[in-house]
Amino acid sequence: MVRADRVVDGVAFATATVGGLDATDAVHTLFDRLGREDIQYLLVSGVAPAWFNLLDLDRIAEATARPVISISFEESPGLAPALSEQFDGDALDARLAIYERLPPRRRLRVNEETLFVRSVGLDDQPADTERVVSAYTPDGGRPEPIRVARLASRAARQWRADGT
């Protein structure tokens, strides 16, 4: 949890199965664990945080009653070709159904950096998305909530790997 003044004000952890279909539920768990009614927006890094374990942005926005902004940092042709290479049958169909419901990615310039964003639950999608992402990105191109989450995640992963 990063406040609008960019002060870190909470940290929570949850797990998602690598290659599974539970990443959306993991985000719900994080939101519930924080227990913060003052959360205004949910920013997530990409839409496939655990090897094609796709986030359903509409479900997250509906369950949390908060706008959701997904931010990625590299241009790509999208996940559909990779999904088709890695999965088939029901596993592919389930992932494609989630992926095809996602809003389209749009380019966004912030601090001379190019980001790629999808958003759900904002009234004026392009303008509001740009306003929120810019407000939480004081430097460079990585919004502070995502930067802090990445640091915490790496530290937790290292701690678990060390077994201490």
Side-chain angles (χ1 to χ4, degrees), residues 11 15-17 59 69 73 79 87-88 95 111 127 129 140 154-155:
V11 176
T15 58
T17 308
R59 268 189 54 216
I69 302 171
F73 305 96
L79 292 176
F87 299 95
D88 58 19
R95 285 162 181 79
N111 299 330
T129 300
R154 286 181 174 177

Side-chain angles (χ1 to χ4, degrees), residues 1-102:
M1 160 93 183
V2 177
R3 297 187 332 210
D5 62 2
R6 298 185 197 99
V7 171
V8 177
D9 199 22
V11 176
F13 292 96
T15 58
T17 308
V18 174
L21 288 172
D22 58 353
T24 297
D25 293 334
V27 173
H28 294 169
T29 297
L30 290 169
F31 182 80
D32 290 343
R33 283 185 181 157
L34 286 168
R36 300 285 301 259
E37 288 301 317
D38 57 336
I39 293 173
Q40 294 182 3
Y41 311 100
L42 300 178
L43 277 66
V44 297
S45 183
V47 295
W51 193 74
F52 303 120
N53 192 335
L54 298 173
L55 295 173
D56 186 328
L57 302 183
D58 285 319
R59 268 189 54 216
I60 295 168
E62 183 178 313
T64 62
R66 303 296 189 279
V68 180
I69 302 171
S70 166
I71 302 164
S72 54
F73 305 96
E74 297 176 13
E75 192 164 16
S76 78
L79 292 176
L83 289 170
S84 296
E85 287 176 16
Q86 299 297 322
F87 299 95
D88 58 19
D90 291 344
L92 174 61
D93 292 344
R95 285 162 181 79
L96 285 176
I98 295 167
Y99 184 68
E100 290 169 357
R101 281 194 310 270
L102 292 171

Side-chain angles (χ1 to χ4, degrees), residues 141-159:
R142 195 167 298 269
E144 198 66 1
I146 290 174
R147 188 187 74 77
V148 169
R150 183 178 175 200
L151 289 171
S153 175
R154 286 181 174 177
R157 186 174 27 242
Q158 185 63 49
W159 178 77

Side-chain angles (χ1 to χ4, degrees), residues 94-114:
R95 285 162 181 79
L96 285 176
I98 295 167
Y99 184 68
E100 290 169 357
R101 281 194 310 270
L102 292 171
R105 274 187 356 151
R106 293 182 298 98
R107 282 181 188 271
L108 178 63
R109 292 286 292 173
V110 176
N111 299 330
E112 306 304 318
E113 301 282 338
T114 300

